[in-house]
Amino acid sequence: MGHALPPPAASLPAARPPARPGDAGAGLAALPGLWRGRDLARAPSPGFPTGFAPLDAELPGGGWPAGALTEVLCGQAGIGEVRLFFPALSALARGDAPVFLLEPPWLPYAPAFAGGGIPAARLVVVRPRRPADAMWACEQILRGLTGGALLAWPRHLRAQDIRRLQLAVEGKPVLAVLMRPPAAAGEPTPAALRIALEAAPPAHLALRILKRRGGMLARTLRIAPPSPLFTSLPAQDAPVCHAVDRDSSRLPDARLHPASA
Amino acid sequence: MLWTAIHLACLTLDCIPQAPEEAFAVIERRRVVAANAAAQAAGVRAGQSLAAALALAPRLAWREREPALEAAALAGLVHWGLGYSSHVVPLPPRGLLIETGGSLKLFGGRGALIARLTGELAAQGFSASLASSPTPTGARMLAESGHDAHPETLTALRAVLPGLPAAALTAAAGFAATFATLGIATVADVLALPRDGLARRFGRDLVDELDRACGRLPDPVTPFVPPDTFRTVIALPAPTDSAALLACACGRALNQLENFLRAGRKAADRIDLALHHERAGRHDAPAACTALRLDFFEPTASAERFARILAERLDRLTLERRVERVAISVPVLLPAAAASASLLPAAGREGSGLLALFERLQARLGAEAIQGMATRPDHRPAHATAMPLVAREPATHHAFRARRADADLAARGPRPVWLVEPPRPLREIGGKPHHDGPLTLIAGPERIESGWWDGAPVARDYFIAQTPARALVWIFRERGLPPGWFLQGVFG
């Protein structure tokens, strides 16, 4: 007399098949705070559209970070470092928000901003006499703004100053840009985005993203900032110039990304 | 109606801000009039001569009594009281009445309101006794006698009144000796006497006052009407030249100003301060005075905003002599814009926040450090831009004017982001202008000839050029005198 063993596994609930790596993503992606190694960070708030589609695709939030600092390392003035921000600033200024320029290197020229879509009435230029007041003014502006933009050219910046500025602008829909010399690339920064600008012929910008929320970007983007010329720059044999011959520019080193619009 | 009376027994002392642990006394004609707790612990009493007081407490700080300061402190309390009710009656020299019957529901009942009044008086540094009753005179008598009673009905009031001392009746002020002879010590004794006899012996006023206190006769009082300007004086406990202490002492006056403005629904956009320095000798020429003027971008009534701007200005001010008192006056009062709360969570009232930011920046950096920008319809590049100081213009008005001008100018030629003014002459080597190397002309020329009518004529051919470092610059060749190439701008 022996009782039969319990029926075999047929009546047990069917075992689940082992999960494949790809399947786990579907459930995990629904978790809001989870970041997977190869994703760009989902920025908590959408950024300000830069106006350049390839750049928007590479930035978390789809544009310049809102509520966080952007550092621009640019050694040469005049290659388009301010014009790069014109599309974003003009969108901001249309919404009645002010644009602050703190300690600009030269006098800003109102008709240029007007031509770029930023009404002169929205611009405020702050030039403190004492250098000690410059950092105070920067922090006050970031604390006091609830919308709009600040472009600053700080002279002496320490790491703890940048952290205070980052805290001051946290969580607000404000575009905060610090223009710094390329030598600052070696210092760590709490800013959310750090880009380096160099000139690329004929009048484009070679933009390298040194730091962003998400992985590093290995390639260099080629951006054409809003050009001061009515037409695009002429090719080698354009009949525009007078009296002086132009040197024919060599093609630069191999770029991994084709020229953008 | 429920009237609350506040009696400030130590107003002489409290009107001067002081540290409680230091012995302090108020002197009049070399005699002590009032002494604080620390001085009394050392043995100083009212009526002693100054020399005796200094002998008892060598570290005694003292100050002459100034009725103006007491009046200013009382006025400040009246303004504070206006925050609780629209009927406030000052009872000089050291009391006030507030009609609280209408405010009971707002402040959560009689007990809560009395507690709140007591707490705020203590926070402002005044020691006071409060009492409330249905009639003003009854409340005043209760408060002046120091009874912390709050009868709510006339019957309860008529039950409490007889216990008060007879000196509480103001009409009995001149009859203290007679009362003592007749054995009248309390109001009960007065009430026990026949009315006609009282009226004949001590005057009709005494009987009328008793009737008013008990509620048998109407007791009208004239409410305080805020004047059109605000003026107050603050005394500092000791002459000082520290900006932090000055700002702290003015804080109380700025709170008074806020109460005053809110009570009358007004706002101020300009505050005048006069810092009175201490006199060099005792009876010298009148004391020197530093005037300080605070301007605000919009009419405001917030004490915090006043205090912040004042602190910034005091930081930048250097005082040669120490300040012993501060006079604050607001010459012009403007109607305040009522702030209405909105149902939806607002994105932030941009206007007021931005103007407050400009005020702070201007207070610390100076008015000339903050400039707006405007375009002007002029062909000459240097004249086409203007940098007006950020003034108190309504934002919409300025924006409208600028927008019209911009619409004209956007159609002109390319313009650089940065302007180099005056134009920098460029070296010309081999027919090419040089700026950090030989420049390559890319576009141009744009001929600008203008300005012959106002003495700054311009006749130039403008070009866009590229430096060897690939920066774009705006240069021109001067067609007049002096000839040559100049740098006018950088296309940032």
Side-chain angles (χ1 to χ4, degrees), chain B residues 224-375:
Chain B
F224 173 75
V225 176
D228 288 332
T229 60
F230 177 87
R231 206 175 294 274
T232 188
V233 177
I234 319 152
L236 299 170
T240 175
D241 58 2
S242 149
L245 285 178
L246 275 177
C248 187
C250 294
R252 194 202 264 191
L254 292 175
N255 283 333
Q256 285 180 16
L257 175 59
E258 177 174 5
N259 290 332
F260 170 78
L261 290 172
R262 290 203 193 281
R265 265 182 273 301
K266 299 250 190 255
D269 66 351
R270 175 183 146 186
I271 299 183
D272 291 331
L273 283 109
L275 306 172
H276 294 269
H277 299 282
E278 57 177 348
R279 285 168 223 258
R282 289 309 300 170
H283 302 286
D284 255 352
C289 172
T290 309
L292 202 59
R293 182 174 148 167
L294 305 179
D295 280 300
F296 297 91
F297 271 77
E298 53 176 0
T300 177
S302 153
E304 186 202 340
R305 212 158 136 179
F306 296 152
R308 201 159 19 177
I309 303 298
L310 178 63
E312 294 284 354
R313 289 294 296 276
L314 286 175
D315 257 339
R316 287 204 310 166
L317 197 64
T318 44
L319 298 162
E320 329 72 55
R321 282 164 64 171
R322 297 187 296 178
V323 176
E324 63 165 3
R325 74 172 66 195
V326 181
I328 297 184
S329 72
V330 177
V332 174
L333 297 176
L334 305 166
S340 63
S342 80
L343 287 175
L344 305 169
R349 280 180 297 127
E350 181 68 48
S352 67
L354 203 56
L355 293 176
L357 172 63
F358 283 145
E359 267 167 25
R360 276 205 300 280
L361 291 174
Q362 273 197 356
R364 175 134 166 188
L365 308 174
E368 61 282 351
I370 300 151
Q371 290 164 308
M373 300 211 66
T375 52

Side-chain angles (χ1 to χ4, degrees), chain B residues 162-168 179-180 182-190:
Chain B
L164 298 177
F179 275 19
L182 292 175
I184 300 173
T186 65
V187 172
D189 300 336
V190 180

